[in-house]
Amino acid sequence: MTIALATALPFRDIDPDLPLLHAAAERRGLALETVLWDDPAVDWAGFDLVVVRSCWDYTDRREEFLDWAATVPRLANPVEVLRWNTDKTYLREVAAAGVPVIATQWDVRDGDPLAGDGEPDAEWVVKPSISAGSRDTARWSDPADVYRHSEELVARGRTSMTQRYVPSVDSDGETAMLFLGGHFSHAIRKAPLLERGEGVNDHRDSRGDITPRAPTAAQLEVAASTHDALRALFGPDLDLLYARIDLVTAPDGSPVVLEVELTEPSLFLPQSGGGEDVLLDAIEQRVRG
Ligand SMILES: Nc1ncnc2c1ncn2[C@@H]1O[C@H](COP(=O)(O)OP(=O)(O)O)[C@@H](O)[C@H]1O
Ligand SMILES: [Mg+2]
């Protein structure tokens, strides 16, 4: 059995999950190779499974990335999941399935009413629907900046998303809920990334400061209901090798979904207490059938 982990050249040596997976594979005698998704010399059919990992450069090359994914005979997660998940407009479908999702205004134009405008200390986040690592994303306190940023994105043919800045992120960070092989595995706290007054900054360390976190019952429930909603959206045969559901805490204390990561999420294995073996078990199980 030979398994491939697909990454991208700029990230191959800095994705902290990869060395743990290789060490665990070596312990169990599993052949595991890290390969570049855009390397034309790779024979993808030669692997029993290709697992998408740190392909974090897909945001500027989405069609190329999805075309590649469609050529890989055995890919996790499946290409139709990647297509759906690489554009955050999917959040509308997750919300329509009954999951609490962060309130979002789409393609805001100058003068549109902004949720929360007029409230003291109101702040907003503007981001494009196709993005990762907080690129082209900023936090604003002046509606004029919100309008300008959103209109700039739309003018470049992108879909813009405007959300209220969730203040609890500054104190409690966000909570990433990791599922491996279809089951909840671990949670982490991610420190806030957007500074007030910073504007767009495409050089943030988007992994930021990560620490293990014990999830609350409410967080577990929202994450599980999100994971279940995906099966309702894709059909009962959906098999997700990995999933990450990022939650923030709304002002009323309830968890809401900020992002569903089914494409190339950092799995935060160094903070997982053995998640690499859980993932390799799930891989071996799927290949054996
Ligand atoms: N509405 C929001 N309130 C507070 N922080 C936010 C909000 N939206 C995004 N952020 C911050 O920006 C980061 C990146 O946004 P996110 O929606 O996770 O997109 P991506 O990770 O795909 O770039 C988040 O990790 C969080 O720190
Ligand atoms: Mg994120």
Side-chain angles (χ1 to χ4, degrees):
M1 182 189 305
T2 307
I3 308 299
L5 302 176
T7 183
L9 186 57
F11 309 110
R12 182 181 58 189
D13 299 324
I14 61 169
D15 173 357
D17 292 333
L18 298 181
L20 289 181
L21 288 166
H22 280 282
E26 204 162 307
R27 284 197 296 275
R28 57 175 75 197
L30 173 68
L32 184 70
E33 290 177 30
T34 291
V35 280
L36 302 180
W37 72 267
D38 55 359
D39 179 350
V42 177
D43 172 20
W44 299 101
F47 295 105
D48 295 284
L49 188 67
V50 177
V51 181
V52 177
R53 295 285 66 244
S54 27
C55 302
W56 297 324
D57 57 353
Y58 83 82
T59 53
D60 293 332
R61 311 162 67 184
R62 178 168 175 253
E63 285 310 316
E64 193 189 341
F65 174 69
L66 294 175
D67 287 348
W68 162 77
T71 67
V72 180
R74 289 168 294 279
L75 184 71
N77 284 327
V79 62
E80 61 272 15
V81 170
L82 307 187
R83 180 171 296 282
W84 179 85
N85 183 243
T86 44
D87 187 331
K88 289 190 180 75
T89 53
Y90 67 71
L91 285 174
R92 298 167 178 162
E93 290 174 56
V94 176
V99 170
V101 170
I102 185 160
T104 303
Q105 294 180 263
W106 303 87
D107 288 345
V108 160
R109 296 295 183 127
D110 192 2
D112 286 351
L114 289 185
D117 195 8
E119 289 179 24
D121 303 325
E123 292 182 284
W124 297 270
V125 174
V126 178
K127 58 185 134 182
S129 70
I130 300 174
S131 181
S134 80
R135 289 179 58 198
D136 297 309
T137 298
R139 167 180 182 173
W140 304 112
S141 43
D142 183 344
D145 290 321
V146 172
Y147 295 133
R148 186 188 39 74
H149 186 181
S150 176
E151 289 200 334
E152 266 170 27
L153 292 172
V154 172
R156 282 188 271 142
R158 307 181 75 175
T159 298
S160 93
M161 305 169 67
T162 299
Q163 300 164 349
R164 298 197 61 175
Y165 187 85
V166 177
S168 66
V169 170
D170 285 340
S171 46
D172 301 335
E174 66 185 289
T175 303
M177 307 285 286
L178 281 302
F179 289 73
L180 300 176
H183 303 284
F184 174 73
S185 165
H186 59 283
I188 59 95
R189 172 196 195 272
K190 185 193 261 197
L193 289 178
L194 309 179
E195 283 180 40
R196 189 175 292 146
E198 178 192 37
V200 172
N201 169 6
D202 285 344
H203 302 285
R204 296 183 189 106
D205 174 9
S206 69
R207 282 182 57 93
D209 180 8
I210 309 293
T211 46
R213 165 169 271 178
T216 65
Q219 287 172 330
L220 284 166
E221 195 189 309
V222 171
S225 72
T226 309
H227 207 258
D228 291 347
L230 296 171
R231 191 159 282 117
L233 286 169
F234 282 95
D237 293 338
L238 175 69
D239 180 31
L240 295 173
L241 179 64
Y242 53 83
R244 198 183 83 205
I245 296 161
D246 292 343
L247 305 174
V248 293
T249 304
D252 70 359
S254 64
V256 295
V257 173
L258 181 70
E259 191 178 1
V260 179
E261 263 276 20
L262 310 176
T263 305
E264 30 57 272
S266 285
L267 298 176
F268 303 117
L269 297 179
Q271 291 83 15
S272 72
E276 54 277 17
D277 278 305
V278 179
L279 186 64
L280 293 183
D281 284 346
I283 289 170
E284 291 190 307
Q285 207 183 345
R286 277 159 179 74
V287 170
R288 295 217 169 87

